[in-house]
Amino acid sequence: LSIQPNFRKDLVNNITIYRDTVDDFIGDYDSKGPMELGITPQEASERVSIFQVKFDDMWQKYETYSGGEELFGLNVTEYPELHKTKRELTLLQKLYGLYNDVINTVNSYYDILWHEVDIEQIMMELVDFQNKCRKLPKGLKDWEAFLDLKKKIDDFNECCPLLEMMANKAMEK
């Protein structure tokens, strides 16, 4: 029991340092994160990945320190900005996961030879993307990346009748 005060003192010191680390992370996230205005969706997607890794480390420390505070009977320190960032990153992961799938799939279509085009497969994938886009949380639907994603899906949807005509066997001759 004589070592307990030392562990408690170390915990309190680590929490003080952690609080500053959280403030720095939130400041970086707000100023250089995926929600920064004027960046491309591709850049935002890369930033989501980068900040998610940093956040996961921060969250693990949060859980450890919160458990330590409970163990020693201290008041558990709240970090509302950290919780807000967790919710935001979860939404961004969903959005940019779908965004990247759409971009990669559409780009892969450019590599298909005309005689190998499977318009039914393309149409099924397009419908799947439209359904996934509709099922994204309502909170995302005002975000620029969502609007860009929806536009890409809609634009490709408009091209499908043309693709279908071009893939017609009569066009081969």
Side-chain angles (χ1 to χ4, degrees):
L1 289 177
S2 63
I3 60 171
Q4 184 177 354
N6 292 337
F7 283 133
R8 182 181 173 165
K9 184 177 137 193
D10 287 346
L11 175 65
V12 170
N13 288 337
N14 287 338
I15 290 171
T16 301
I17 294 167
Y18 179 70
R19 215 177 279 134
D20 292 338
T21 306
V22 168
D23 289 343
D24 291 344
F25 172 78
I26 297 299
D28 279 351
Y29 180 81
D30 288 343
S31 65
K32 302 174 196 161
M35 297 294 288
E36 181 182 347
L37 295 177
I39 62 173
T40 64
Q42 292 84 1
E43 174 70 18
S45 177
E46 290 171 14
R47 291 183 187 189
V48 167
S49 299
I50 292 167
F51 277 93
Q52 184 67 55
V53 170
K54 292 177 184 179
F55 177 83
D56 289 344
D57 182 52
M58 300 290 294
W59 191 256
Q60 183 179 7
K61 287 179 182 178
Y62 164 74
E63 290 179 332
T64 301
Y65 293 147
S66 294
E69 287 172 321
E70 287 178 13
L71 183 66
F72 285 108
L74 301 170
N75 290 331
V76 176
T77 307
E78 295 297 323
Y79 300 93
E81 290 293 316
L82 203 58
H83 289 277
K84 175 184 166 270
T85 303
K86 180 178 183 170
R87 287 188 300 274
E88 201 169 88
L89 281 171
T90 299
L91 292 174
L92 288 168
Q93 287 284 1
K94 290 178 184 179
L95 175 61
Y96 286 110
L98 181 57
Y99 181 87
N100 291 333
D101 286 348
V102 168
I103 296 301
N104 292 336
T105 301
V106 170
N107 286 343
S108 74
Y109 294 153
Y110 296 122
D111 297 331
I112 299 174
L113 299 174
W114 278 115
H115 68 277
E116 295 175 0
V117 169
D118 183 354
I119 196 68
E120 289 177 19
Q121 177 68 28
I122 292 173
M123 295 296 282
M124 286 184 349
E125 289 173 340
L126 182 63
V127 167
D128 184 47
F129 287 143
Q130 287 173 322
N131 289 336
K132 287 178 180 178
C133 192
R134 268 189 239 110
K135 290 179 183 177
L136 286 171
K138 285 183 174 67
L140 295 175
K141 301 205 174 170
D142 294 331
W143 291 3
E144 185 177 332
F146 174 83
L147 298 173
D148 189 51
L149 170 65
K150 188 169 177 350
K151 182 178 180 339
K152 289 214 181 295
I153 293 172
D154 291 345
D155 288 350
F156 196 75
N157 192 27
E158 288 178 16
C159 293
C160 280
L162 180 61
L163 282 175
E164 193 169 6
M165 287 188 283
M166 296 289 287
N168 191 320
K169 298 295 181 206
M171 290 296 289
E172 287 182 17
K173 297 185 182 208

